[in-house]
Amino acid sequence: MATPEQRREELLAVFEQARGCTRCPQLASTRTKVVFGAGDADADLMFVGEAPGANEDRQGLPFVGQAGKLLDQLLGEIGLSRREVFVANTLKCQPPGNRDPHPVEIENCQDYLMRQLELIEPRVVCTLGNFATKLLRGDPAGITRVHGTDEVRVIGRRAVRLYPLFHPAAALYTPRMLDVLREDFRRIPELLALPVPPQPAFADEPMVPIESETAPRAVPAPESSAGAEPDREPTSELRSEPQAEADPQPPNPEQLGLF
Ligand code: URA
């Protein structure tokens, strides 16, 4: 079994690999930085959002805009800080114009998320919004139906307690959604106190490295969004938050705030 130090080293190696990723030719050509994720590399609690917005793309860190401030506030209300959790996204690159992630992009990027889940070994994974929830539940049920309902799921090689939540960006301007998000957040400490779910027998088998790409993957046409669920949150629109005037932080050569 890998030690926390070995898992952290491996996480850095996966980050390096993601930094050079060209699996999605469009995203690779339009991104400023790959936003791999940040936080405690050994966190019990992990959040998975949708995709970086403009501020995240510039800084290389997840949830640094208004939605991130709300996330920090909600964490503070349950006695936690960003340093104690790990925050990542379904896509590691900003979709141009903050459009929705395309299905093929989610598929291309999911190896990175799976490796993050394997290496960080969180007990509780909160999906933020529809994209992360549908991906990690492996089910098309929308967030309005499943938010606030925890369940144990085997994701990749590990069993985790999955807890879908509304996306903070969707709650920013909808007070009723914010109330629900806040209420769902209040259950997180209780979920963290539950025993670690029993792990599948294969959880300790050696991990398969992510395939290095020498050429972009074939990109099928994106699926039409006609007939999409009516409960879709307007998170992509809300990812286009006003950009900070100047980057308040010095450039972070690692682009990975690991604690
Ligand atoms: N919205 C997301 O889903 N992720 C971010 O990192 C920022 C906004």
Side-chain angles (χ1 to χ4, degrees):
M1 224 170 59
T3 65
E5 290 71 30
Q6 287 167 332
R7 290 189 284 110
R8 192 176 194 280
E9 279 307 300
E10 184 57 25
L11 191 65
L12 285 166
V14 177
F15 171 50
E16 272 313 308
Q17 208 174 345
R19 258 210 307 197
C21 185
T22 56
R23 286 179 177 185
C24 306
Q26 186 187 29
L27 303 192
S29 68
T30 55
R31 73 180 176 225
T32 308
K33 286 179 178 161
V34 169
V35 182
F36 185 66
D40 180 355
D42 198 26
D44 284 337
L45 176 60
M46 183 163 162
F47 290 88
V48 183
E50 183 175 309
N55 290 316
E56 290 79 16
D57 176 67
R58 280 186 318 111
Q59 294 189 35
L61 293 167
F63 283 93
V64 291
Q66 292 304 314
K69 288 199 179 79
L70 178 56
L71 179 62
D72 288 347
Q73 186 190 327
L74 292 166
L75 278 171
E77 289 174 14
I78 56 167
L80 290 173
S81 73
R82 217 35 118 86
R83 295 180 70 92
E84 294 168 278
V85 304
F86 194 91
V87 180
N89 278 306
T90 305
L91 288 195
K92 311 301 187 216
C93 299
Q94 183 197 16
N98 288 327
R99 63 160 170 72
D100 280 353
H102 290 164
V104 68
E105 293 165 349
I106 296 175
E107 193 187 320
N108 285 345
C109 213
Q110 70 173 330
D111 286 353
Y112 298 114
L113 181 58
M114 293 303 151
R115 290 290 278 152
Q116 288 177 312
L117 290 162
E118 282 174 357
L119 291 164
I120 296 164
E121 298 188 351
R123 304 158 77 107
V124 176
V125 177
C126 295
T127 49
L128 301 173
N130 267 321
F131 285 93
T133 300
K134 291 179 184 182
L135 174 68
L136 294 189
R137 291 188 75 247
D139 185 291
I143 192 65
T144 304
R145 221 171 87 196
V146 300
H147 76 88
T149 311
D150 66 295
E151 59 185 328
V152 172
R153 288 256 171 173
V154 175
I155 300 175
R157 296 146 26 103
R158 290 190 53 79
V160 297
R161 200 167 297 278
L162 202 62
Y163 189 50
L165 299 171
F166 280 123
H167 195 291
L172 269 178
Y173 306 110
T174 313
R176 263 180 305 114
M177 210 181 266
L178 178 56
D179 290 344
V180 175
L181 179 59
R182 182 167 272 128
E183 202 173 305
D184 288 344
F185 246 79
R186 282 202 202 106
R187 279 200 58 222
I188 292 176
E190 171 197 322
L191 300 179
L192 285 168
L194 291 172
V196 178
Q199 293 302 311
F202 52 78
D204 284 332
E205 283 171 16
M207 295 176 191
V208 181
I210 296 175
E211 230 178 89
S212 284
E213 301 282 319
T214 48
R217 293 179 172 193
V219 183
E223 275 172 20
S224 155
S225 58
E229 278 192 66
D231 72 343
R232 198 188 150 272
E233 303 158 301
T235 53
S236 302
E237 291 88 324
L238 291 167
R239 261 190 273 123
S240 48
E241 297 164 359
Q243 292 187 36
E245 275 167 20
D247 191 337
Q249 294 174 349
N252 173 1
E254 290 292 334
Q255 283 177 46
L256 180 61
L258 270 194
F259 303 112

